[in-house]
């Protein structure tokens, strides 16, 4: 426990000290505020109801988009792994989604969806191809000998999926979901900054920038990073427990 504590505290203290020194050298809060100024701004934010409403609304938007993208990615991975024609139809489109700049999707969706829906839709689009690729690779890594044994013992399709395909796909899927969650957060926040829904962390970032409130801008960035890390930690815990239950 002590070692884990030191592994967190020592790097954090180092970077905070470096930040404080850089802020002192720059000497302009507009360009680089000191950690104390950001801390005061953060303390002022967390006591307001608007802060919690904006942060929780953004969290739910990104989570909804991530879950939609994950579900779609898993379904499409199963379909493209099972059917040659499904692979020919969907794989090129999914690869194209990975290469299109996120801002293009934001601007296109902005014309067809309410501004409150765009962040979740963009998060789903960014998560979808990442999860699809990870799940597809995991399914392809299933042991041929185990599949041959399942055929010899006449396993049902569901039993083969449950005992062979899911355990084979789980490690790759876990890594893919973690990457997809990070992309969902970044794209969702970018969509909120551009679309500016009323209750959103991204809208608060844009407001801080408009009012030249650099401490507030960094404070909201810290909040967004903290929420993202918390979701990633929860995701890793869920996969760890699921894998333990399977074993």
């Amino acid at each position: 426990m002590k070692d884990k504590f030191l592994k967190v505290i020592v790097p954090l203290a180092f970077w905070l000290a470096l930040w404080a020194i850089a802020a002192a050298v720059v000497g302009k809060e507009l360009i680089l505020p000191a950690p104390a100024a950001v801390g005061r701004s953060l303390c002022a934010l967390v006591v307001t109801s608007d802060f919690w409403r904006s942060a929780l609304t953004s969290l739910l938007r990104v989570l909804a988009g991530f879950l939609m993208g994950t579900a779609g990615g898993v379904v499409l991975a199963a379909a493209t792994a099972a059917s040659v024609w499904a692979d020919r139809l969907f794989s090129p489109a999914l690869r194209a989604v990975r290469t299109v700049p996120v801002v293009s999707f934001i601007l296109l969706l902005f014309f067809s969806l309410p501004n409150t829906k765009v962040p979740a839709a963009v998060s789903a689009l960014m998560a979808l191809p990442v999860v699809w690729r990870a799940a597809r690779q995991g399914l392809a890594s299933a042991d041929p000998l185990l599949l041959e044994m399942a055929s010899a013992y006449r396993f049902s399709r569901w039993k083969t999926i449950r005992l062979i395909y899911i355990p084979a796909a789980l490690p790759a899927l876990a890594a893919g979901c973690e990457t997809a969650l990070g992309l969902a957060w970044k794209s969702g926040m970018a969509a909120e900054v551009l679309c500016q829904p009323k209750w959103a962390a991204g809208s608060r970032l844009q407001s801080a920038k408009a009012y030249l409130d650099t401490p507030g801008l960094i404070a909201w960035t810290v909040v967004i990073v903290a929420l993202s890390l918390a979701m990633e930690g929860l995701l890793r815990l869920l996969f760890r427990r699921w894998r333990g239950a399977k074993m």
Side-chain angles (χ1 to χ4, degrees):
M1 180 64 73
K2 185 178 179 181
D3 289 342
K4 289 183 179 179
F5 180 77
L6 290 175
K7 286 179 181 178
V8 173
I9 293 300
V10 172
L12 181 61
F14 170 78
W15 287 110
L16 284 174
L18 191 63
W19 177 6
I21 293 169
V25 171
V26 172
K28 292 183 179 180
E29 189 173 276
L30 178 63
I31 299 175
L32 183 62
V38 175
R40 287 192 297 269
S41 181
L42 186 58
C43 289
L45 286 173
V46 297
V47 297
T48 64
S49 59
D50 286 359
F51 166 83
W52 292 105
R53 186 169 182 179
S54 297
L56 291 175
T57 302
S58 291
L59 177 66
L60 292 176
R61 283 195 189 104
V62 173
L63 181 60
F66 169 72
L67 291 176
M68 288 188 293
T70 299
V74 170
V75 170
L76 287 173
T80 54
S83 168
V84 174
W85 276 106
D87 185 48
R88 291 173 179 171
L89 289 172
F90 291 109
S91 292
L94 289 166
R95 292 189 179 97
V97 169
R98 292 180 57 205
T99 61
V100 175
V102 63
V103 69
S104 298
F105 284 121
I106 295 171
L107 295 176
L108 288 170
L109 292 172
F110 186 71
F111 292 117
S112 56
L113 293 176
N115 63 348
T116 56
K117 305 294 184 184
V118 174
V122 171
S123 296
L125 277 172
M126 293 299 102
L128 176 65
V130 176
V131 174
W132 164 75
R133 185 179 183 185
R136 177 69 187 275
Q137 290 175 342
L139 291 172
S141 68
D143 191 337
L145 295 178
L146 291 177
L147 293 173
E148 186 178 341
M149 179 200 70
S151 177
Y153 283 94
R154 297 182 180 179
F155 282 11
S156 66
R157 183 182 295 274
W158 169 241
K159 190 174 183 180
T160 303
I161 292 172
R162 181 170 59 88
L163 296 180
I164 299 176
Y165 281 112
I166 290 180
L170 195 56
L173 180 61
C177 284
E178 190 172 339
T179 302
L181 182 57
L183 288 173
W185 263 107
K186 291 178 182 180
S187 58
M189 290 305 100
E192 287 186 349
V193 168
L194 290 176
C195 299
Q196 296 188 52
K198 183 176 180 181
W199 302 109
S203 298
R204 299 297 176 265
L205 283 174
Q206 179 65 13
S207 296
K209 173 255 183 185
Y211 288 102
L212 303 179
D213 180 14
T214 309
L217 180 65
I218 297 178
W220 272 108
T221 302
V222 170
V223 170
I224 292 168
V225 171
L227 289 173
S228 177
L229 291 175
M231 284 184 66
E232 287 182 8
L234 180 60
L235 184 67
R236 283 193 293 268
L237 179 61
L238 289 173
F239 271 111
R240 193 178 301 121
R241 288 192 174 182
W242 185 22
R243 191 176 302 173
K246 290 290 181 182
M247 293 176 64

